[in-house]
């Protein structure tokens, strides 16, 4: 098929890469400033594992092209714009409706809100098969290519049999191992996407709340998690306490859903989850502050992990940012290691004399008065504890993801603090 993708964010580039890899001829359209930008300077490509390489490969094959040609022919038009670009989407839809009087298929994968697809559909003539289908964006940063090309579940939001048939054909290369293919109206699909994201956020917020209470009541949250997860009504998914969640897409969806409740005059749990998550990002600093009796003068602190989660270089809304800001405000020397995110961190902190970036995690720990684990990258799970003891000035570890064995660390001679442990 000939497919045109509109957008320059992660969703657009992933769709373009996977659709081209499946044999389609794909055009990706965006502002001239983005189309002229070198690929390696586009953060969505640089931060997502494997995406830049895949885009470069598909460009070389000719199946993918960056275009400014608004008149270029396409059988399918794929909207992957940012959440604040609804009016741009409306303009695109109007132009497409005039240029394609019948059999026009548009896939909407934008986070515009519940009812947005219906509003865009009103610009078209459904009687002549000018149809917009809503496909929820289920990409997880760090696993975006896999999430698109090896989807376990897909929701198609449409009540047009023609559009559903065409969309299923388009997704055929990606649904060989699918577990759930659900059909519903576009409004129901939009609501479902928000509902899923909101539920995940509530689970994260609840387990963090339990962990903070466990700290005060001298019980181990890991034991509590095991008990909760063993109940088949609950399960283990998204029940890992920590120092807060981040990410652009996840936070964006939660905030948008919370706004929907507010617009309907309803109080929402999500509003509390959002505000409590920002407080949770301060947890490691508070533990460090209390350990040193509210005096961090002259201290040096190591941070392992700056990205908002393992598998990505993105620092969007990352807990590390709030932690680093708090430490720098106290005059603390901060030494950071991250396998992927140091480049983005350097751009974020262009002039911070007390902040240094280390290519080796043990270099970051050298001579420090504490090690704060923020992102649970695989290489951090089983470090050389004897080397850390030798390198650190004070053997203090504050574990923001509960990846270390508390009893083993204490046997080595570390002072250990976790989240709810």
């Amino acid at each position: 098929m000939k497919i045109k993708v509109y957008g320059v964010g992660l969703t657009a580039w992933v769709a373009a890469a996977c659709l081209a890899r499946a044999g389609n001829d794909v055009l990706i359209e965006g502002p001239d400033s983005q189309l002229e930008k070198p690929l390696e300077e586009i953060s969505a490509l640089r931060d997502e594992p494997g995406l830049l390489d895949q885009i470069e490969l598909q460009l070389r094959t000719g199946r993918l092209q960056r275009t400014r040609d608004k008149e270029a022919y396409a059988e399918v038009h794929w909207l992957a714009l940012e959440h604040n670009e609804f009016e741009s989407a409306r303009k695109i839809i109007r132009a497409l409706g005039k240029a394609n009087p019948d059999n026009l298929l548009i896939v909407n994968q934008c986070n515009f809100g519940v009812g947005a697809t219906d509003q865009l559909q009103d610009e078209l003539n459904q009687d002549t098969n000018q149809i917009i289908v809503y496909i929820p964006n289920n990409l997880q940063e760090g696993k975006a290519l896999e999430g698109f090309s090896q989807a376990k579940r897909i929701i198609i939001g449409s009540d047009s049999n023609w559009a559903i048939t065409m969309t299923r054909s388009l997704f055929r290369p990606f649904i060989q191992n699918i577990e759930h293919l659900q059909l519903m109206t576009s409004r129901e699909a939009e609501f479902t996407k928000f509902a899923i994201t909101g539920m995940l956020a509530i689970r994260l917020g609840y387990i963090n709340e339990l962990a903070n209470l466990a700290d005060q009541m001298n019980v181990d949250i890991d034991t509590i998690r095991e008990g909760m997860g063993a109940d088949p009504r609950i399960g283990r998914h998204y029940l890992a306490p920590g120092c807060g969640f981040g990410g652009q897409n996840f936070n964006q969806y939660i905030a948008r859903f919370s706004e929907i409740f507010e617009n309907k005059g309803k109080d929402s749990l999500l509003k509390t989850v959002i505000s409590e998550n920002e407080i949770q990002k301060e947890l490691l600093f508070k533990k460090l502050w209390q350990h040193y009796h509210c005096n961090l003068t002259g201290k040096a602190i190591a941070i392992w992990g700056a990205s908002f989660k393992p598998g990505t270089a993105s620092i969007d809304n990352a807990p590390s940012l709030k932690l680093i800001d708090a430490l720098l405000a106290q005059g603390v020397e901060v030494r950071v290691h991250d396998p992927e995110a140091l480049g983005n961190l350097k751009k974020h902190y262009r002039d911070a004399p007390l902040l240094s970036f280390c290519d080796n995690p043990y270099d970051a720990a050298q001579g420090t008065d504490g090690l704060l684990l923020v992102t649970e990258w695989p290489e951090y799970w089983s470090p050389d504890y004897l080397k850390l003891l030798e390198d650190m000035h004070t053997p203090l570890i504050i574990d923001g993801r509960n990846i270390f064995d508390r009893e083993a660390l204490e046997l080595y001679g570390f002072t250990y603090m976790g989240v709810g442990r």
Side-chain angles (χ1 to χ4, degrees):
M1 290 185 178
K2 295 185 181 298
I3 303 171
K4 196 170 186 180
V5 177
Y6 303 82
V8 293
L10 178 63
T11 303
W13 284 110
V14 169
C18 292
L19 291 167
R21 186 169 59 183
N24 298 289
D25 292 323
V26 181
L27 303 172
I28 185 163
E29 179 184 303
D32 288 351
S33 59
Q34 290 293 323
L35 290 173
E36 295 169 357
K37 205 171 188 179
L39 293 175
E40 60 272 11
E41 294 182 11
I42 299 174
S43 60
L45 300 182
R46 188 182 61 242
D47 295 348
E48 184 64 29
L51 183 54
L52 178 58
D53 291 341
Q54 189 58 229
I55 289 293
E56 290 175 337
L57 173 60
Q58 297 309 320
L59 287 169
R60 288 196 299 270
T61 66
R63 289 192 295 267
L64 175 62
Q65 297 180 51
R66 303 167 80 180
T67 181
R68 301 182 190 85
D69 184 2
K70 297 185 180 300
E71 305 300 323
Y73 170 74
E75 298 167 76
V76 178
H77 299 267
W78 192 288
L79 295 181
L81 303 174
E82 297 301 312
H83 72 282
N84 57 353
E85 295 184 291
F86 181 78
E87 288 306 316
S88 296
R90 195 194 297 272
K91 290 178 182 177
I92 292 170
I93 296 299
R94 287 173 177 168
L96 290 175
K98 292 178 181 178
N100 303 269
D102 51 32
N103 293 335
L104 169 64
L105 178 62
I106 300 170
V107 175
N108 175 24
Q109 210 179 21
C110 308
N111 174 25
F112 289 147
V114 178
T117 301
D118 285 344
Q119 293 180 49
L120 295 174
Q121 181 67 60
D122 288 342
E123 304 289 341
L124 302 174
N125 185 355
Q126 188 164 341
D127 293 336
T128 60
N129 279 344
Q130 291 184 332
I131 307 294
I132 304 177
V133 175
Y134 177 71
I135 305 290
N137 176 10
N138 292 319
L139 299 184
Q140 296 184 45
E141 292 178 69
K143 298 180 179 178
L145 285 172
E146 178 184 347
F148 191 106
S149 60
Q150 301 176 41
K152 296 298 183 185
R153 57 187 176 85
I154 292 177
I155 295 173
I156 298 177
S158 178
D159 55 10
S160 164
N161 290 332
W162 172 80
I164 291 170
T165 298
M166 294 295 293
T167 304
R168 290 181 68 158
S169 175
L170 179 64
F171 273 89
R172 187 171 176 79
F174 314 116
I175 61 175
Q176 300 308 303
N177 297 313
I178 198 166
E179 296 174 358
H180 301 284
L181 177 61
Q182 297 172 294
L183 306 178
M184 56 186 72
T185 68
S186 60
R187 182 179 288 266
E188 289 167 339
E190 289 164 337
F191 196 103
T192 299
K193 170 57 185 175
F194 280 120
I196 290 171
T197 307
M199 176 60 76
L200 297 179
I202 288 171
R203 284 175 70 98
L204 286 173
Y206 183 56
I207 195 63
N208 282 338
E209 186 175 38
L210 291 178
N212 295 339
L213 182 61
D215 261 337
Q216 299 175 24
M217 301 189 70
N218 196 31
V219 296
D220 191 336
I221 193 62
D222 276 359
T223 304
I224 309 305
R225 283 180 61 219
E226 289 297 319
M228 293 173 67
D231 189 319
R233 297 170 299 175
I234 297 174
R236 303 171 187 271
H237 195 55
Y238 274 64
L239 279 184
C243 52
F245 57 80
Q248 182 179 22
N249 289 342
F250 192 64
N251 282 269
Q252 194 179 93
Y253 268 103
I254 298 167
R256 293 283 290 163
F257 202 26
S258 179
E259 288 173 8
I260 291 173
F261 277 97
E262 290 183 21
N263 291 338
K264 297 297 182 181
K266 303 286 186 180
D267 292 330
S268 168
L269 285 173
L270 292 176
K271 187 174 182 179
T272 301
V273 169
I274 293 169
S275 60
E276 288 299 317
N277 184 57
E278 292 305 306
I279 295 173
Q280 192 72 9
K281 292 177 182 179
E282 302 171 356
L283 180 65
L284 301 192
F285 176 79
K286 290 177 180 177
K287 287 178 176 286
L288 181 72
W289 180 253
Q290 292 168 1
H291 177 79
Y292 281 112
H293 307 291
C294 308
N295 184 5
L296 296 177
T297 303
K299 302 298 183 186
I301 298 297
I303 292 177
W304 281 5
S307 61
F308 79 88
K309 72 173 186 178
T312 177
S314 173
I315 58 172
D316 290 325
N317 298 307
S320 62
L321 301 182
K322 182 162 283 192
L323 174 59
I324 291 170
D325 289 344
L327 292 170
L328 294 178
Q330 293 297 319
V332 175
E333 178 189 348
V334 182
R335 304 168 60 82
V336 185
H337 174 267
D338 187 284
E340 299 289 344
L342 290 186
N344 287 332
L345 205 63
K346 290 175 183 177
K347 290 180 181 178
H348 185 83
Y349 292 100
R350 295 185 182 277
D351 184 21
L354 290 174
L355 180 61
S356 57
F357 309 95
C358 304
D359 294 328
N360 184 290
Y362 300 102
D363 290 343
Q366 185 73 42
T368 55
D369 300 286
L371 167 61
L372 277 53
L373 187 286
V374 181
T375 312
E376 66 277 28
W377 285 93
E379 64 193 75
Y380 297 152
W381 281 71
S382 187
D384 186 337
Y385 296 121
L386 293 177
K387 180 170 177 55
L388 282 176
L389 277 173
E390 181 181 337
D391 289 347
M392 294 180 69
H393 181 263
T394 304
L396 167 67
I397 291 180
I398 304 180
D399 182 359
R401 301 298 173 185
N402 289 354
I403 69 173
F404 300 130
D405 186 305
R406 176 176 190 154
E407 292 181 359
L409 283 176
E410 290 177 346
L411 286 176
Y412 274 104
F414 288 96
T415 299
Y416 175 87
M417 300 179 197
V419 181
R421 299 170 73 198

